[in-house]
mmCIF file of all heavy atoms in Angstrom:
data_model
loop_
_atom_site.group_PDB
_atom_site.id
_atom_site.type_symbol
_atom_site.label_atom_id
_atom_site.label_comp_id
_atom_site.label_asym_id
_atom_site.label_seq_id
_atom_site.Cartn_x
_atom_site.Cartn_y
_atom_site.Cartn_z
ATOM 1 N N ASP A 6 -38.072 -3.302 10.464
ATOM 2 C CA ASP A 6 -38.037 -2.056 9.704
ATOM 3 C C ASP A 6 -37.208 -1.031 10.450
ATOM 4 O O ASP A 6 -37.369 -0.834 11.652
ATOM 5 C CB ASP A 6 -39.476 -1.513 9.512
ATOM 6 C CG ASP A 6 -40.170 -2.202 8.342
ATOM 7 O OD1 ASP A 6 -39.490 -2.969 7.631
ATOM 8 O OD2 ASP A 6 -41.387 -1.976 8.171
ATOM 9 N N MET A 34 -26.374 -3.806 27.990
ATOM 10 C CA MET A 34 -26.844 -2.589 28.679
ATOM 11 C C MET A 34 -28.368 -2.490 28.671
ATOM 12 O O MET A 34 -28.920 -1.410 28.859
ATOM 13 C CB MET A 34 -26.260 -1.338 28.011
ATOM 14 C CG MET A 34 -24.746 -1.290 27.995
ATOM 15 S SD MET A 34 -24.122 0.357 27.559
ATOM 16 C CE MET A 34 -24.806 0.542 25.918
ATOM 17 N N MET A 48 -40.355 11.909 32.732
ATOM 18 C CA MET A 48 -40.067 13.340 32.594
ATOM 19 C C MET A 48 -40.993 13.953 31.540
ATOM 20 O O MET A 48 -41.570 15.032 31.751
ATOM 21 C CB MET A 48 -38.589 13.521 32.225
ATOM 22 C CG MET A 48 -38.100 14.935 32.115
ATOM 23 S SD MET A 48 -38.502 15.742 30.567
ATOM 24 C CE MET A 48 -37.419 14.874 29.450
ATOM 25 N N THR A 56 -49.193 12.318 27.886
ATOM 26 C CA THR A 56 -50.227 12.285 28.922
ATOM 27 C C THR A 56 -49.814 11.238 29.953
ATOM 28 O O THR A 56 -48.983 10.364 29.657
ATOM 29 C CB THR A 56 -51.599 11.868 28.344
ATOM 30 O OG1 THR A 56 -51.481 10.514 27.902
ATOM 31 C CG2 THR A 56 -52.007 12.771 27.189
ATOM 32 N N LYS A 58 -51.483 8.839 30.949
ATOM 33 C CA LYS A 58 -51.914 7.521 30.473
ATOM 34 C C LYS A 58 -50.896 6.943 29.480
ATOM 35 O O LYS A 58 -50.532 5.760 29.548
ATOM 36 C CB LYS A 58 -53.307 7.660 29.824
ATOM 37 C CG LYS A 58 -53.986 6.355 29.621
ATOM 38 C CD LYS A 58 -55.492 6.510 29.430
ATOM 39 C CE LYS A 58 -56.032 5.264 28.763
ATOM 40 N NZ LYS A 58 -56.382 5.422 27.357
ATOM 41 N N SER A 82 -32.270 -8.394 17.046
ATOM 42 C CA SER A 82 -32.212 -8.244 15.597
ATOM 43 C C SER A 82 -31.044 -7.357 15.179
ATOM 44 O O SER A 82 -30.910 -6.225 15.636
ATOM 45 C CB SER A 82 -33.531 -7.632 15.125
ATOM 46 O OG SER A 82 -33.330 -6.904 13.944
ATOM 47 N N GLU A 86 -29.899 -2.845 14.513
ATOM 48 C CA GLU A 86 -28.602 -2.246 14.887
ATOM 49 C C GLU A 86 -28.147 -2.387 16.324
ATOM 50 O O GLU A 86 -27.082 -2.910 16.596
ATOM 51 C CB GLU A 86 -28.623 -0.719 14.607
ATOM 52 C CG GLU A 86 -28.180 -0.344 13.239
ATOM 53 C CD GLU A 86 -28.142 1.177 13.056
ATOM 54 O OE1 GLU A 86 -27.440 1.875 13.815
ATOM 55 O OE2 GLU A 86 -28.817 1.636 12.124
ATOM 56 N N ALA A 94 -38.329 -0.826 19.118
ATOM 57 C CA ALA A 94 -39.175 -1.517 18.136
ATOM 58 C C ALA A 94 -40.089 -2.521 18.846
ATOM 59 O O ALA A 94 -41.280 -2.636 18.546
ATOM 60 C CB ALA A 94 -38.301 -2.211 17.096
ATOM 61 N N GLN A 133 -15.470 -1.756 43.302
ATOM 62 C CA GLN A 133 -15.061 -1.214 44.606
ATOM 63 C C GLN A 133 -15.242 -2.259 45.703
ATOM 64 O O GLN A 133 -14.406 -2.399 46.587
ATOM 65 C CB GLN A 133 -15.887 0.024 44.974
ATOM 66 C CG GLN A 133 -15.479 1.302 44.275
ATOM 67 C CD GLN A 133 -14.211 1.929 44.839
ATOM 68 O OE1 GLN A 133 -13.374 1.249 45.424
ATOM 69 N NE2 GLN A 133 -14.049 3.217 44.645
ATOM 70 N N GLY A 157 13.931 -7.999 52.617
ATOM 71 C CA GLY A 157 13.409 -6.938 51.753
ATOM 72 C C GLY A 157 14.403 -6.786 50.616
ATOM 73 O O GLY A 157 15.610 -6.997 50.812
ATOM 74 N N PHE A 158 13.921 -6.459 49.439
ATOM 75 C CA PHE A 158 14.803 -6.422 48.268
ATOM 76 C C PHE A 158 14.874 -5.036 47.653
ATOM 77 O O PHE A 158 13.882 -4.294 47.644
ATOM 78 C CB PHE A 158 14.285 -7.373 47.184
ATOM 79 C CG PHE A 158 14.187 -8.812 47.618
ATOM 80 C CD1 PHE A 158 12.988 -9.336 48.104
ATOM 81 C CD2 PHE A 158 15.298 -9.649 47.530
ATOM 82 C CE1 PHE A 158 12.896 -10.663 48.501
ATOM 83 C CE2 PHE A 158 15.208 -10.979 47.925
ATOM 84 C CZ PHE A 158 14.009 -11.485 48.414
ATOM 85 N N HIS A 171 4.525 -5.863 56.799
ATOM 86 C CA HIS A 171 4.866 -4.567 56.214
ATOM 87 C C HIS A 171 4.771 -4.628 54.694
ATOM 88 O O HIS A 171 4.241 -3.721 54.047
ATOM 89 C CB HIS A 171 6.285 -4.201 56.652
ATOM 90 C CG HIS A 171 6.661 -2.780 56.404
ATOM 91 N ND1 HIS A 171 5.928 -1.727 56.880
ATOM 92 C CD2 HIS A 171 7.708 -2.237 55.711
ATOM 93 C CE1 HIS A 171 6.515 -0.584 56.508
ATOM 94 N NE2 HIS A 171 7.584 -0.871 55.792
ATOM 95 N N LEU A 187 -10.931 5.241 41.708
ATOM 96 C CA LEU A 187 -12.235 4.808 41.185
ATOM 97 C C LEU A 187 -13.355 5.701 41.714
ATOM 98 O O LEU A 187 -14.287 6.041 40.994
ATOM 99 C CB LEU A 187 -12.517 3.358 41.592
ATOM 100 C CG LEU A 187 -11.910 2.244 40.745
ATOM 101 C CD1 LEU A 187 -12.408 0.891 41.250
ATOM 102 C CD2 LEU A 187 -12.253 2.398 39.264
ATOM 103 N N ASP A 189 -13.111 8.758 42.598
ATOM 104 C CA ASP A 189 -13.021 10.065 41.950
ATOM 105 C C ASP A 189 -13.572 9.988 40.523
ATOM 106 O O ASP A 189 -14.316 10.860 40.075
ATOM 107 C CB ASP A 189 -11.553 10.503 41.941
ATOM 108 C CG ASP A 189 -11.425 11.953 41.570
ATOM 109 O OD1 ASP A 189 -12.092 12.780 42.230
ATOM 110 O OD2 ASP A 189 -10.698 12.264 40.613
ATOM 111 N N THR A 207 -33.063 20.151 22.601
ATOM 112 C CA THR A 207 -34.361 19.845 21.999
ATOM 113 C C THR A 207 -35.340 21.001 22.192
ATOM 114 O O THR A 207 -35.149 21.830 23.095
ATOM 115 C CB THR A 207 -34.930 18.543 22.622
ATOM 116 O OG1 THR A 207 -36.231 18.307 22.111
ATOM 117 C CG2 THR A 207 -35.023 18.642 24.133
ATOM 118 N N HIS A 252 -0.770 -2.881 39.400
ATOM 119 C CA HIS A 252 -0.509 -3.316 40.782
ATOM 120 C C HIS A 252 -0.686 -4.825 40.926
ATOM 121 O O HIS A 252 0.175 -5.508 41.494
ATOM 122 C CB HIS A 252 -1.447 -2.579 41.759
ATOM 123 C CG HIS A 252 -1.118 -1.120 41.890
ATOM 124 N ND1 HIS A 252 -2.045 -0.175 42.255
ATOM 125 C CD2 HIS A 252 0.044 -0.458 41.696
ATOM 126 C CE1 HIS A 252 -1.460 1.024 42.290
ATOM 127 N NE2 HIS A 252 -0.203 0.867 41.950
ATOM 128 N N ILE A 283 2.718 -32.889 31.234
ATOM 129 C CA ILE A 283 3.859 -33.799 31.044
ATOM 130 C C ILE A 283 4.694 -33.994 32.304
ATOM 131 O O ILE A 283 5.137 -35.097 32.595
ATOM 132 C CB ILE A 283 4.729 -33.329 29.835
ATOM 133 C CG1 ILE A 283 6.025 -34.150 29.756
ATOM 134 C CG2 ILE A 283 5.081 -31.849 29.924
ATOM 135 C CD1 ILE A 283 6.789 -33.987 28.488
ATOM 136 N N ARG A 302 -3.571 -6.526 27.979
ATOM 137 C CA ARG A 302 -4.745 -6.218 27.159
ATOM 138 C C ARG A 302 -5.502 -5.020 27.705
ATOM 139 O O ARG A 302 -6.079 -4.246 26.957
ATOM 140 C CB ARG A 302 -5.629 -7.446 26.991
ATOM 141 C CG ARG A 302 -6.648 -7.685 28.068
ATOM 142 C CD ARG A 302 -7.096 -9.100 28.026
ATOM 143 N NE ARG A 302 -8.471 -9.254 27.559
ATOM 144 C CZ ARG A 302 -8.977 -10.445 27.210
ATOM 145 N NH1 ARG A 302 -8.216 -11.520 27.217
ATOM 146 N NH2 ARG A 302 -10.223 -10.543 26.835
ATOM 147 N N LEU A 319 -16.438 17.538 16.984
ATOM 148 C CA LEU A 319 -17.730 17.524 17.679
ATOM 149 C C LEU A 319 -18.825 17.281 16.642
ATOM 150 O O LEU A 319 -18.693 17.714 15.510
ATOM 151 C CB LEU A 319 -17.992 18.871 18.366
ATOM 152 C CG LEU A 319 -17.177 19.162 19.635
ATOM 153 C CD1 LEU A 319 -17.432 20.615 20.079
ATOM 154 C CD2 LEU A 319 -17.549 18.211 20.781
ATOM 155 N N ASP A 334 -14.623 -5.164 28.042
ATOM 156 C CA ASP A 334 -13.591 -6.173 28.269
ATOM 157 C C ASP A 334 -12.705 -5.780 29.456
ATOM 158 O O ASP A 334 -12.264 -6.635 30.227
ATOM 159 C CB ASP A 334 -12.740 -6.350 27.001
ATOM 160 C CG ASP A 334 -11.839 -7.570 27.097
ATOM 161 O OD1 ASP A 334 -12.359 -8.691 27.026
ATOM 162 O OD2 ASP A 334 -10.610 -7.403 27.284
ATOM 163 N N ILE A 353 -3.441 -17.996 51.135
ATOM 164 C CA ILE A 353 -2.012 -18.185 50.862
ATOM 165 C C ILE A 353 -1.326 -18.716 52.119
ATOM 166 O O ILE A 353 -1.505 -18.170 53.212
ATOM 167 C CB ILE A 353 -1.367 -16.856 50.408
ATOM 168 C CG1 ILE A 353 -1.915 -16.470 49.032
ATOM 169 C CG2 ILE A 353 0.151 -16.950 50.387
ATOM 170 C CD1 ILE A 353 -1.436 -15.138 48.521
ATOM 171 N N THR A 372 23.477 -2.736 57.081
ATOM 172 C CA THR A 372 23.173 -1.322 57.366
ATOM 173 C C THR A 372 23.032 -1.106 58.872
ATOM 174 O O THR A 372 23.394 -0.045 59.396
ATOM 175 C CB THR A 372 21.865 -0.892 56.666
ATOM 176 O OG1 THR A 372 21.851 -1.414 55.351
ATOM 177 C CG2 THR A 372 21.737 0.621 56.605
ATOM 178 N N GLY A 403 32.338 -17.510 54.468
ATOM 179 C CA GLY A 403 31.029 -18.176 54.493
ATOM 180 C C GLY A 403 30.257 -17.933 55.780
ATOM 181 O O GLY A 403 29.508 -18.790 56.240
ATOM 182 N N MET A 409 29.912 -14.011 63.270
ATOM 183 C CA MET A 409 31.331 -13.745 63.531
ATOM 184 C C MET A 409 31.564 -13.575 65.027
ATOM 185 O O MET A 409 30.679 -13.146 65.761
ATOM 186 C CB MET A 409 31.780 -12.476 62.796
ATOM 187 C CG MET A 409 31.759 -12.659 61.286
ATOM 188 S SD MET A 409 32.278 -11.169 60.438
ATOM 189 C CE MET A 409 31.758 -11.574 58.768
ATOM 190 N N THR A 430 20.853 -9.122 64.946
ATOM 191 C CA THR A 430 19.789 -10.108 64.739
ATOM 192 C C THR A 430 18.728 -9.505 63.827
ATOM 193 O O THR A 430 18.541 -8.288 63.765
ATOM 194 C CB THR A 430 19.089 -10.491 66.065
ATOM 195 O OG1 THR A 430 18.461 -9.322 66.580
ATOM 196 C CG2 THR A 430 20.064 -11.073 67.063
ATOM 197 N N ARG A 438 13.374 -0.159 63.339
ATOM 198 C CA ARG A 438 12.781 0.792 62.364
ATOM 199 C C ARG A 438 11.363 1.128 62.815
ATOM 200 O O ARG A 438 10.382 0.823 62.159
ATOM 201 C CB ARG A 438 12.825 0.185 60.968
ATOM 202 C CG ARG A 438 14.248 0.234 60.429
ATOM 203 C CD ARG A 438 14.512 -0.677 59.286
ATOM 204 N NE ARG A 438 15.853 -0.445 58.760
ATOM 205 C CZ ARG A 438 16.986 -0.916 59.306
ATOM 206 N NH1 ARG A 438 16.921 -1.671 60.394
ATOM 207 N NH2 ARG A 438 18.154 -0.641 58.771
ATOM 208 N N ILE A 441 6.559 5.917 62.008
ATOM 209 C CA ILE A 441 5.443 5.799 61.061
ATOM 210 C C ILE A 441 5.982 5.416 59.692
ATOM 211 O O ILE A 441 6.913 6.054 59.180
ATOM 212 C CB ILE A 441 4.663 7.127 60.949
ATOM 213 C CG1 ILE A 441 3.981 7.440 62.282
ATOM 214 C CG2 ILE A 441 3.622 7.066 59.822
ATOM 215 C CD1 ILE A 441 3.272 8.764 62.312
#
Side-chain angles (χ1 to χ4, degrees):
D6 278 353
M34 301 193 299
M48 183 280 289
T56 66
K58 195 161 160 254
S82 152
E86 271 184 58
Q133 282 284 25
F158 301 95
H171 194 55
L187 277 185
D189 193 54
T207 176
H252 290 154
I283 172 168
R302 87 199 250 167
L319 286 173
D334 191 72
I353 292 176
T372 317
M409 293 180 193
T430 63
R438 285 162 174 79
I441 294 176

